[in-house]
Amino acid sequence: MEPQEIIKKVRKIEIKARGLSSNIFAGQYHTAFKGRGMAFSEVRDYQFGDDVRDIDWNVTARFHRPYVKVFEEERELTVMLLIDVSGSLDFGTRRQMKRDMVTEIAATLAFSAIQNNDKTGVIFFSDRIEKYIPPKKGRKHILYIIREMLDFRGASRRTDIGVALEFLSGVMKRRCTAFVLSDFYVRGDFTQPLTICSRKHDVAAIQVYDPFAKELPDVGLLKVVDAETGHEQYIDTSSRRLREAHRSYWLRREATLQETFNKSNVDSISIATDEDFVKALLMLFKKRG
């Protein structure tokens, strides 16, 4: 992509993402992602119903009556975007590529983060860590991230989500909020690294898929290519049996994926490239509110 074209695209995405994060997501984001913990604020008299574990025994002993510690939420977050840059994202039959939608969603989340004075960082991954952008604040940093999302191409076309999750656990020592953005076309089970990561961090999964993955259209003989392996073959989409088998495979795959998220205690949403991702993100925020 030419530099001028990248600048134009960055500006277009910024206008849309900033508008969404300002007008729609500001309150919901703040409510859904509450900060990394609680900080001590003050002490007050013990009241009936207070948790005895919050009693400040030093102050209680000094004044001969019970006092409890009051905590306030630490609002500042670190938001990490784990972005799949494998070959399967370079596909789209409706409106846009999966990669383009992932970029728009990530940009919207990033602008929502900086409006709440949160830091944002990125991990680009395939079946390896392709690039790590450490978390920082500010519009300039977000625009750099968007430029990278538009222009970056990984060395590998395959996918291993476990690698990205293990890297996140290693590089982020303090608790953060992490969004995994992928089509989740993975070979193998990543339940264990996801479970380990979600115990340490606040993880949410955002699946982006093309409608063809769900329903194969009846368009006759069709050449299909596996974007990650390069394997090519022709399929006869006029075959009802083939279309039903394709649909059954999708349903089984989605059920397995959902089971992985449930086992790992991770909130998730699934968005087709011809759908409005705003509604899906609001649904994710509502789940966590």
Side-chain angles (χ1 to χ4, degrees), residues 10 59 64 92 155 204 211 223 254 274:
V10 168
V59 178
H64 307 293
K223 181 182 179 182
E254 289 301 291
D274 61 349

Side-chain angles (χ1 to χ4, degrees), residues 82 84 125-127 159-169 178-199 203-208 228 252-269:
L82 280 63
D84 185 349
F125 70 93
S126 54
D127 61 351
T159 312
D160 188 337
I161 290 173
V163 166
L165 295 167
E166 287 166 7
F167 182 82
L168 175 71
S169 294
F179 296 94
V180 184
L181 295 101
S182 174
D183 55 9
F184 291 92
Y185 275 108
V186 293
R187 291 167 176 82
D189 185 26
F190 61 95
T191 305
Q192 186 178 2
L194 183 60
T195 302
I196 292 168
C197 193
S198 68
R199 285 174 186 157
V203 182
I206 300 175
Q207 179 192 26
V208 173
E228 300 200 0
R252 287 195 308 273
R253 183 178 165 277
E254 289 301 291
T256 301
L257 194 57
Q258 195 56 57
E259 186 181 356
T260 296
F261 295 144
N262 291 341
K263 279 182 181 176
S264 307
N265 197 29
V266 166
D267 290 323
S268 66
I269 50 170

Side-chain angles (χ1 to χ4, degrees), residues 25-35 73 75 77 177 179 202 267 281-282 284-289:
F25 295 132
Q28 285 88 345
Y29 172 93
H30 181 96
T31 303
F33 304 100
K34 294 186 169 67
E73 181 187 21
R75 233 328 294 170
L77 283 170
T177 293
F179 296 94
D202 184 8
D267 290 323
L281 282 184
L282 285 172
L284 177 64
F285 293 173
K286 193 174 180 180
K287 279 182 185 179
R288 310 168 60 86

